[in-house]
Amino acid sequence: MIRRQLTRAGIGLALLSAATADQLWHDANRYDAHGNECVYREKTDVVCSQVCVAKLSSCPPSLRPSCPDGQSFCADGDCHDECTEEIQAQNPCHCSRSGGKLPSEAQDLIPCLAIPNVTIQQFHTWDSQNDIRNACGAEANITDQSKTVGVWGKSWLGDDIAAVWAECPAAPTPNYRYTESYWIAVYAVNGALALYIFVWSVYKGFAEQSVRAATLGKAGSARGKLASSMGSVDADADSSLNKPSAEKLTVNSGEKALSSSSVDGSTDGASNSSDALIEVTRLSGYRNHVLGTIGAWFVGVVYVLWVCFFGVWTADYYGSLPGKHHGVSYSLAYESDYLLLATFLVMWGIWFVMTISLYILRPHLRNYFRLLTLPAKGEYVRVVRPLREIKVADEKPNWLQHHINVFTEWLQSAMRRDKEYTTCPVERTSEGRFYFTYQCTRYVLDEQTQQYAPYEFDLGSGHRGLIDQAGGLSSTEASYRLELVGPNFIEVKVPNIFGAFAREFLSFFYIYQIMMLWVFYIYAYWQVALVDTGVILLSATIKVVLRLQSERRLKQMAEQEETIAVKRDGEWAQVSTRDLVTGDVIEVTSGAHMSCDCILLSGNAIMNESSLTGEPLPIRKFPLRIDDGHYSVTGAGKMTTLFAGTIVSQVQPVTKAADSLESDRVLALVRFTGTMSDKGQLVRRILFPNPISFIFNEQMRIVTCILLLYAVFIMAMSAYLYQSNPVAVVLYGACAVAQLLSPLLPAALVIGQSVAATRLRKKKIYCVDPQRIMTAGKVQILCADKTGTLTKEGLEFYGGRCIDETSGRFAAFSGDLLSTSRRFQQAVASCHSVADLDGQLIGNPVDIEQFRASNATIDPQPEYLDAIQTPADS
């Protein structure tokens, strides 16, 4: 009946046209709008109630039974060979009641013969019962029935009443006794979980008292805090929490330096806060406990049991339970569809609250079942980092959008979704030093401060001091540094197929989809639910496969390992690139892939930096000069820096030089490894991007709020229309919300993004986060800093103006360079950074065109530095 009402209600709200339909939720009117009594109508095939008497002789003559020989008239109103107890129990005069629920006045009643169905010529809808009694009484030739025939439950036999109409009152609504076995199981499981959580909370609070006291009382508290090099402040940090010193110890020649503040690898004060590994970080230590581990598993098992319980009730709705209940619908609810649906909705609401709670508390749930301790003594360290959302909007938000953004930020803060929570296991090095790895960076425990921080080694900035380190490190010092900073290897963890699907389905939209689709399944809407489930699974599979492919591609790019010549203990040795540390001296060879940031000490190198800068032309690198200058990677030092991720196209050793280090090998000093390197920062930004709020996301919040308000209106209308049917209110409201915020909307977006990612992949463009494709698709203006991109590709030499040595003024312009003075030709041929790579000129395009115009040549085998010969010299 509920399903039929929902259907009619939906049609009635959708179609505003004249139609003939049954009255649904109002009493029938007796008078029309003009006060006239409504015209009667004929009603055919009306079923008459049974006439019940104490003795068959009291039945009206037309209703007295007459059975064949050998048969008796039984209490079920029919003739049988034998009136068994089962037949007698089907007495219609008992109105399906027995025992104490059967009135004493009805215990001796037996039925007469059934009255045939009748036709009522003038049927009054407002007085239907009297019309039916009169018509049925006339059919049975009962005279003066208003005085001689009573009504079951209202007027019984006695005085002038010789018979009773068996107009049975509505059967009482079936309900649970709440002692059924399945309810006892629900009480036992959930009660045990609640009791266990209570006991664990009491024990946890008692066990953590000393740690919390230490937090308030002394240094080395349970929560450590790392301040950024830009002086950021953690808004959530307690004033009592200790801040590691922001001082950086700067030492040379292999001495270690601990930096708790600046972690971007800069030594020249040019660090950028956006490139810092961690701007503001809070650390909390935790350790496992057997009771907590049991509690965590207990929560997971109970949640799975809830899902199975839902499956049982859904199967019971369709009569698909195995065993004796097979084929019987609503058997768990005493065959009442209303009671089963009401039970499902109550449990669905509890499950909804439980699921949302677990989703919100997911970053904290496992640590809740661990004991808080000092970070230095914990088996796990929780890292808390604020999420700084990047807003990309081309206009100022209006009043509505501004207030929605404020409410969204407040909601995220209340749900603790404005921070990133990562729990890292604590490990030990081969020397017994404790550390954990966060975002591919090793954090080592400082025994003095009892806090974790990333280590770095400062090589200094003076040219002479850097060149003095050309002798390399000792094996002992290299092992010590490797223990502190970790291997020169960026490990990209790609989950297996099961983990990838688990990561995908733990997002909020999939939880919402499951909630809505389960309502469809329970309410005979399983065909649509199956189609929606198939679409959602298909879109999720496509997204998971594309993301895995992109992550594996990124893994291949990031995880690079080769064998390289390293100077250790004064001798050259072949070492894996993952064992390189700051201060190592390596040999640079042609075709090598740089796995760390290095400073070129001796020789020249031509580097392909297209993977980092996008510049297709190779870049020439020069060795560090032996002078009193200071190295700065953001200044002139960039021309002496070999960046990780670049490829060595050609090298040229320098055995004779006046202002640089001489060597028969091309030497480089390792500056940064791992995530401290330029490539490491790039990979880290790809793996751990900051959330971006584009104009599309801002506008979607407004649309979502409008849809939610409309959903509230629909719920209010359904509550008004179904005042006496709360089950219909909730089901109709849920179906309405499911249509407003369709479960297929995220699937449609995912499929669109996945198709776009597939097209990009064919063009060798890999996207780890397909949602960013929408951002790229909304770009309307693109500014490029490459002149050849916007104008004609290539350059032409126009000419020059020399200085008249006699007058000291500019001479006339000349387009023929060979007609100018010899000194000017030499200047044009030598003032550049062009190099010859296998017969191909490489360098700045302006320099290349300038050199070509001079018609000069470069000596491929120079004795000292590059030798250039001009036509004037020849």
Side-chain angles (χ1 to χ4, degrees), residues 46 153 160 430:
V46 178
D160 297 333
S430 58

Side-chain angles (χ1 to χ4, degrees), residues 243-248 258-261 449:
K243 300 179 181 179
S245 172
E247 179 183 2
K248 180 189 295 184
L258 169 63
S259 171
S260 297
S261 57
T449 63

Side-chain angles (χ1 to χ4, degrees), residues 612-667:
L612 295 180
T613 64
E615 180 62 53
L617 295 177
I619 304 297
R620 185 173 183 178
K621 301 293 182 176
F622 300 93
L624 203 65
R625 294 182 178 272
I626 304 177
D627 53 26
D628 296 329
H630 289 274
Y631 170 82
S632 174
V633 70
T634 58
K638 186 176 182 180
M639 296 304 297
T640 63
T641 304
L642 310 181
F643 294 101
T646 59
I647 302 175
V648 182
S649 298
Q650 185 180 17
V651 295
Q652 181 183 17
V654 175
T655 57
K656 295 181 181 181
D659 57 351
S660 63
L661 185 67
E662 299 176 355
S663 176
D664 57 349
R665 300 172 185 250
V666 177
L667 306 181

Side-chain angles (χ1 to χ4, degrees), residues 760-822:
L760 290 175
R761 192 171 67 255
K762 292 180 180 179
K763 296 181 179 294
K764 306 299 181 182
I765 301 174
Y766 298 91
C767 182
V768 176
D769 188 1
Q771 293 183 352
R772 302 294 177 93
I773 297 177
M774 293 189 299
T775 304
K778 295 289 288 185
V779 173
Q780 298 178 353
I781 300 176
L782 175 65
C783 298
D785 62 346
K786 306 297 182 183
T787 305
T789 306
L790 304 178
T791 59
K792 177 183 177 181
E793 183 177 3
L795 299 171
E796 296 178 357
F797 185 81
Y798 184 58
R801 297 182 64 182
C802 300
I803 294 180
D804 189 345
E805 297 181 357
T806 304
S807 63
R809 298 182 179 182
F810 280 108
F813 173 80
S814 175
D816 184 9
L817 184 63
L818 298 180
S819 63
T820 60
S821 66
R822 176 183 178 186

Side-chain angles (χ1 to χ4, degrees), residues 662-680:
E662 299 176 355
S663 176
D664 57 349
R665 300 172 185 250
V666 177
L667 306 181
L669 178 66
V670 176
R671 182 168 180 260
F672 288 129
T673 61
T675 53
M676 295 292 186
S677 67
D678 200 68
K679 172 188 174 182

